[in-house]
């Protein structure tokens, strides 16, 4: 099915009302790949520095479907590092620090064997890098990007250029608002589609994530809303967005691998995929770093998906 993800593999320090985890494995592409790996193989492309110890590499062993051949180690560089603190209700977080490290250097090389990848997810990193990487997948059938406030504020022009070239984008509500200056998520998403889709570009859908309130899906062919899984055990929301995207893209790529995909960006297929993303993300937030996903069984995932499907039936 070749699904590929590019983005950050990083070292996180996270503080929540339930405790803290210091210098643990994180990064946008790490969370994405772990979630997508429940649906099939996923290729990971990112760069790390000489400080990326064996303990971090070992975590990837729990996810045999992740192909880490594209993880480039630069011994003289520093791994991307991020610190975040969640407030009492866990809905908002504060970035304590972002140490870009290898992100200030040229992007990682795409291994030749990966260039035929059909399903491409550009996890959070500098939009200029996302653009450059996107251009290296000429056979893509579906390309989706994530972004965040840091890049909206610091690299808007590159982000605009990127949005015209991808099929879909996922972003948080406050980020959609920041980007469009519209304070209604449907209006914000519609503006993005108008500016970067149709005759202006390739964009066909926008997924606005609203944390515990689920997501809003605005597609050129319709609008849908999906609640979040009503989770009781929320220990650390870090990676919720990336695992959501991983479940979503993993499901679409799996449908492609099974020959059941005519149009990977259709309203129906992406809407189905959002349910998968929602459920995988609900497991991830039950623990710090990737701990819960490391022990998650496909059977548990399938069972929660069935439960969630019943919940959202109207
Ligand atoms: P999420 O909670 O889904 O937004 O993702 C959190 C992950 O994103 C953490 O593991 C961080 O290492 C990573 N991250 C934080 N800030 C950035 C950034 N500016 N660019 C790329 N990745 C980031």
């Amino acid at each position: 099915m070749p699904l590929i993800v590019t983005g950050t593999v990083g070292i996180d320090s996270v503080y929540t009302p339930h405790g803290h985890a210091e210098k643990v494995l994180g990064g946008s592409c790490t969370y994405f790949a772990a979630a997508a790996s429940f649906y099939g193989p996923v290729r990971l492309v990112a760069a790390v520095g000489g400080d990326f110890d064996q303990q971090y590499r070992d975590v990837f062993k729990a996810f045999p479907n992740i192909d880490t051949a594209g993880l480039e180690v630069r011994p003289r560089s520093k791994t991307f590092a991020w610190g975040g603190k969640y407030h009492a209700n866990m809905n908002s977080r504060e970035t304590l620090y972002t140490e870009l490290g290898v992100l200030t250097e040229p992007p990682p090389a795409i291994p030749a064997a990966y260039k035929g990848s059909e399903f491409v997810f550009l996890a959070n990193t500098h939009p200029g890098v996302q653009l450059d990487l996107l251009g290296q997948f000429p056979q893509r059938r579906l390309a989706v990007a994530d972004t965040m406030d840091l890049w909206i504020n610091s690299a808007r022009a590159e982000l605009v250029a990127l949005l015209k070239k991808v099929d879909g984008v996922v972003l948080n509500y406050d980020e959609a608002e920041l980007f469009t200056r519209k304070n209604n998520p449907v209006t914000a998403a519609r503006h993005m589609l108008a500016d970067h889709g149709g005759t202006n570009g390739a964009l066909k859908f926008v997924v606005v994530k609203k944390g515990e309130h689920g997501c809003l899906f605005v597609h050129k062919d319709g609008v849908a809303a999906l609640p979040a899984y009503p989770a009781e055990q929320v220990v650390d929301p870090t990676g919720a967005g990336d695992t959501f995207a991983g479940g979503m893209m993993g499901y679409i790529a799996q449908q492609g691998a099974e020959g059941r995909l005519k149009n990977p960006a259709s309203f129906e297929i992406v809407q189905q995929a959002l349910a998968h993303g929602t459920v995988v993300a609900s497991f991830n937030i039950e623990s710090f770093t990737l701990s819960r996903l490391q022990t998650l069984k496909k059977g548990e995932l399938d069972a929660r998906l069935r439960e969630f499907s019943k919940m959202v039936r109207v």
Side-chain angles (χ1 to χ4, degrees):
M1 69 166 175
L3 168 63
I4 193 158
V5 59
T6 65
T8 55
V9 168
I11 301 174
D12 287 352
S13 289
V14 181
Y15 303 82
T16 84
H18 296 275
H20 57 96
E22 278 173 50
K23 299 202 168 171
V24 292
L25 181 63
S28 56
C29 112
T30 312
Y31 279 109
F32 177 97
S37 76
F38 287 92
Y39 293 85
V42 50
R43 299 162 166 176
L44 179 148
V45 173
V48 291
D51 53 346
F52 195 72
D53 299 336
Q54 190 60 39
Q55 53 161 319
Y56 302 120
R57 280 171 239 261
D58 286 346
V59 177
F60 284 111
K61 290 186 187 150
F63 303 98
N65 267 339
I66 303 181
D67 180 349
T68 54
L71 185 66
E72 199 177 302
V73 183
R74 299 181 181 168
R76 278 191 291 278
S77 307
K78 283 204 78 175
T79 302
F80 170 77
W82 175 80
K85 184 177 173 192
Y86 290 83
H87 302 125
N89 66 7
M90 305 278 247
N91 281 335
S92 57
R93 82 175 172 207
E94 183 189 336
T95 289
L96 300 176
Y97 61 87
T98 302
E99 291 169 8
L100 293 175
V102 283
L103 295 200
T104 58
E105 301 170 13
I110 308 286
Y114 286 6
K115 297 225 169 173
S117 298
E118 294 176 326
F119 299 93
V120 179
F121 188 75
L122 304 162
N124 237 315
T125 190
H126 193 291
V129 172
Q130 290 175 307
L131 252 182
D132 175 78
L133 293 167
L134 180 67
Q136 299 186 52
F137 303 109
Q139 293 172 42
R140 61 184 187 264
R141 293 180 65 195
L142 179 74
V144 179
D146 190 0
T147 194
M148 66 188 293
D149 50 359
L150 175 67
W151 311 122
I152 294 170
N153 289 325
S154 66
R156 190 180 172 89
E158 288 105 321
L159 185 56
V160 165
L162 176 74
L163 291 184
K164 293 189 191 304
K165 293 203 168 155
V166 290
D167 300 290
V169 62
V170 287
L171 75 179
N172 288 337
Y173 176 26
D174 50 351
E175 292 157 356
E177 196 179 83
L178 176 70
F179 184 67
T180 61
R181 305 270 169 223
K182 303 287 170 201
N183 53 16
N184 172 295
V186 191
T187 312
R190 284 201 198 284
H191 270 264
M192 292 176 79
L193 277 185
D195 290 348
H196 310 294
T199 51
N200 293 322
L203 195 68
K204 295 166 196 69
F205 65 88
V206 178
V207 179
V208 182
K209 298 172 287 177
K210 300 197 295 173
E212 65 169 338
H213 302 297
C215 69
L216 186 80
F217 174 44
V218 181
H219 188 282
K220 67 182 181 56
D221 297 327
V223 175
L226 196 68
Y229 177 81
E232 282 188 85
Q233 198 187 343
V234 185
V235 172
D236 173 17
T238 308
D242 303 309
T243 50
F244 171 82
M248 167 190 143
M249 290 294 286
Y251 172 76
I252 298 175
Q254 183 192 48
Q255 297 302 299
E258 292 172 2
R260 282 189 261 137
L261 205 56
K262 281 202 196 89
N263 173 6
S266 73
F267 180 84
E268 292 72 20
I269 189 80
V270 182
Q271 188 185 23
Q272 283 288 319
L274 294 176
H276 289 264
T278 299
V279 171
V280 190
S282 75
F283 281 104
N284 177 60
I285 61 179
E286 290 177 4
S287 74
F288 282 98
T289 184
L290 292 127
S291 307
R292 182 64 184 101
L293 296 187
Q294 278 176 268
T295 59
L296 180 64
K297 301 277 176 285
K298 185 74 167 79
E300 292 175 284
L301 185 57
D302 294 341
R304 190 173 286 183
L305 187 76
R306 285 193 295 275
E307 187 194 355
F308 184 62
S309 303
K310 281 189 196 154
M311 285 175 182
V312 297
R313 200 176 292 153
V314 190

